[in-house]
């Protein structure tokens, strides 16, 4: 599966952005999906994940209550709605796919990665 992330940009603190990740192929609903981010000089970190059906979601503590992950299997797309953005949310955001019923928080467990989209939050 190929993944294409979009929707990043520059936003002021307190603002919102919605990231999208479009997947190719007809088996999108067979994959758990995750969002990760990497800030300059830091390791890639888990942000959120969602099960193949969309029925289960999982968030990093740092974004819980502010970010919402969702998916539309008919459109082969997963979303990350980001509200109440903070300067520390500034990073390149990546979407990732893992085959099966898993939705792990470990980047090493994902099979496919998108190219990343830059999110910059100004103070």
């Amino acid at each position: 599966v190929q993944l294409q992330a979009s929707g990043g940009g520059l936003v002021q603190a307190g603002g919102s952005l919605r990231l999208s990740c479009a997947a190719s192929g007809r088996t999108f609903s067979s994959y758990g999906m995750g969002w990760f981010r990497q800030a300059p000089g830091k390791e890639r970190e888990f942000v959120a994940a969602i099960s193949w059906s969309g029925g289960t979601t999982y968030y990093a503590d740092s974004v819980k209550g502010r970010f919402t992950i969702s998916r539309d299997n008919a459109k082969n797309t997963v979303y990350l709605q980001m509200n109440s953005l903070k300067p520390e949310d500034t990073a390149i955001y990546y979407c990732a796919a893992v085959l099966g019923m898993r939705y792990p928080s470990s980047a090493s467990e994902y099979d496919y990665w998108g190219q990343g989209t830059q999110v910059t939050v100004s103070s």
Side-chain angles (χ1 to χ4, degrees):
V1 63
Q2 292 184 321
L3 304 175
Q4 179 75 36
S6 62
L10 173 64
V11 63
Q12 289 188 333
S16 298
L17 282 174
R18 189 176 83 155
L19 305 183
S20 299
C21 177
S24 64
R26 295 179 291 178
T27 60
F28 177 70
S29 60
S30 299
Y31 290 84
M33 298 296 296
W35 285 97
F36 291 77
R37 66 187 182 186
Q38 188 166 17
K42 295 187 177 181
E43 294 187 352
R44 190 169 298 191
E45 66 172 358
F46 171 74
V47 176
I50 189 167
S51 63
W52 66 274
S53 67
T56 304
T57 56
Y58 178 45
Y59 298 93
D61 287 343
S62 59
V63 306
K64 200 173 296 183
R66 300 188 298 122
F67 291 10
T68 303
I69 188 171
S70 62
R71 66 189 295 163
D72 185 339
N73 286 344
K75 295 182 178 180
N76 283 10
T77 302
V78 62
Y79 305 97
L80 186 68
Q81 177 66 44
M82 305 186 294
N83 299 329
S84 303
L85 283 160
K86 305 175 181 180
E88 51 263 42
D89 294 318
T90 295
I92 299 175
Y93 283 70
Y94 299 89
C95 58
V98 57
L99 184 62
M101 302 180 70
R102 296 174 296 137
Y103 43 98
S105 60
S106 173
S108 63
E109 296 192 50
Y110 283 81
D111 302 309
Y112 302 97
W113 290 84
Q115 86 290 1
T117 185
Q118 176 71 49
V119 172
T120 303
V121 185
S122 63
S123 58

